[in-house]
Amino acid sequence: MTIRTLDFFIRDAERAELRACRMLLPETFSPGNAPEALVAFGRHDDLAGAAAIGWQAVGDPAAFPVSVHVLPKFRRQGLGRALLDAAAALARGEAAALQPWTALREDSEAAAFCLACGFGVHHRILHFSGEAERMEAMLAAYREKLDRSGWIPAGARVVALPDAPPDEVANLVAREFHNHPERMLARLSCLAGTPPDPQRSVVLLLDGMVVGAQLVSIAVDGVPEVEANVVIPSLRRGWANLLLTHEGTRIGVLRGSRRFRFFCDDRVIDTVNLARRSGAEKVATDVVLRRAVA
């Protein structure tokens, strides 16, 4: 692809230019991911910016992830929009939409730029901070009712993350968050990235099969963060979610957690209500944006 304007020249990145693209867009390049890259040059053939597009569509409607970086002296001249238009042209016929490589803070400059370039809000991610003991006490009351009702199957049990089959956990979490199971398995196996905290992360088993997982990491300030709370679709909105969440919270309290952070899709009403009832405070909002390629 080649696009020329009076001020810029955009084309597919050549092999020798990929290092510069990685420096401008480090979040898009990883050992298991090699996006297609576009480079932009100014009038004097100096590097002006780059874009990367991933070819594994996620979400509904399916969207390719895209990332753009324009060097400061070339900004506010339409180059960012031109790079996005070029990426959309590449994706046409392959996916219905583009979305930013990651969710963006709703009040960020990056989100404002995307909205100005034709992206719309698909949904929001709400971030909460709560008191662990208060959450555990509230969940314990619901758990007691479930125990008395007999709704929890005899074959259900919650185990620590190291006691669960890692490949099954990786597959479950990856499906929910549209990631590669191999990458998640590498994290769980301490082969790539920082693994979840094995003392606070728990897995729900039903007759020996993995049906749910709550993965917890420790932030730089020492506060536990729930990075994933997943139950298979057929068991959602019932005993499985409550049992998994209560056990994870209870173990966190036993491990000394006083506060914790978690997030949820704003369309997951059960979790939004749980945050409200437990007195958790909303501390940030991310937006997941989409732009049709047609």
Side-chain angles (χ1 to χ4, degrees):
M1 168 176 289
T2 301
I3 298 175
R4 291 182 182 273
T5 70
L6 291 176
D7 299 308
F8 302 110
F9 171 47
I10 299 173
R11 61 168 171 77
D12 297 331
E14 298 177 357
R15 186 179 184 86
E17 296 161 340
L18 289 179
R19 182 175 181 275
C21 294
R22 284 196 297 269
M23 294 179 66
L24 294 179
L25 304 163
E27 73 280 3
T28 68
F29 289 84
S30 67
N33 186 62
E36 184 159 347
L38 296 166
V39 288
F41 298 92
R43 288 183 176 181
H44 305 292
D45 293 330
D46 44 348
L47 181 66
I53 182 170
W55 293 111
Q56 293 186 322
V58 297
D60 181 20
F64 285 147
V66 65
S67 186
V68 168
H69 184 97
V70 175
L71 294 174
K73 74 174 185 177
F74 295 102
R75 291 174 185 171
R76 302 188 183 279
Q77 301 176 49
L79 178 56
R81 182 186 292 271
L83 282 166
L84 285 173
D85 290 344
L90 285 176
R92 197 164 295 135
E94 303 291 336
L98 297 176
Q99 69 176 33
W101 207 271
T102 61
L104 303 172
R105 283 287 188 261
E106 188 168 32
D107 57 356
S108 67
E109 290 185 7
F113 163 74
C114 289
L115 291 170
C117 291
F119 285 82
V121 177
H122 186 263
H123 63 275
R124 289 175 169 82
I125 305 295
L126 310 178
H127 295 259
F128 297 96
S129 175
E131 297 179 11
E133 291 183 353
R134 182 173 176 178
M135 175 72 82
E136 195 280 328
M138 185 194 69
L139 292 171
Y142 290 123
R143 168 75 180 277
E144 185 179 356
K145 294 179 182 179
L146 273 185
D147 288 337
R148 290 200 306 265
S149 72
W151 287 351
I152 300 178
R157 62 191 182 101
V158 177
V159 301
L161 178 61
D163 297 329
D167 55 337
E168 292 185 32
V169 176
N171 285 330
L172 174 66
V173 176
R175 284 199 307 270
E176 179 68 16
F177 290 95
H178 308 292
N179 292 328
H180 296 291
E182 295 81 4
R183 292 184 201 164
M184 178 56 65
L185 182 58
R187 274 197 67 206
L188 297 178
S189 304
C190 303
L191 298 177
T194 303
D197 183 355
Q199 295 183 328
R200 290 177 170 82
S201 299
V202 294
V203 177
L204 174 61
L205 304 178
L206 181 59
D207 298 325
M209 183 178 70
V210 171
V211 296
Q214 183 179 95
L215 304 183
V216 178
S217 58
I218 305 299
V220 293
D221 59 1
V223 177
E225 295 184 340
V226 180
E227 60 175 277
N229 192 312
V230 185
V231 170
I232 63 172
S234 61
L235 294 180
R236 289 175 186 166
R237 307 198 69 177
W239 65 266
N241 290 88
L242 178 57
L243 180 60
L244 178 67
T245 304
H246 176 245
E247 282 298 306
T249 307
R250 185 182 68 84
I251 290 172
V253 170
L254 290 175
R255 293 287 180 183
S257 299
R258 293 295 173 261
R259 296 196 64 81
F260 71 107
R261 289 189 283 262
F262 63 100
F263 63 90
C264 72
D265 186 321
D266 65 350
R267 299 168 296 181
V268 183
I269 302 303
D270 287 350
T271 306
V272 174
N273 288 336
L274 181 66
R276 176 178 53 82
R277 291 170 186 154
S278 67
E281 175 190 7
K282 187 174 75 171
V283 294
T285 301
D286 292 340
V287 284
V288 177
L289 304 174
R290 292 288 176 86
R291 170 181 160 170
V293 300

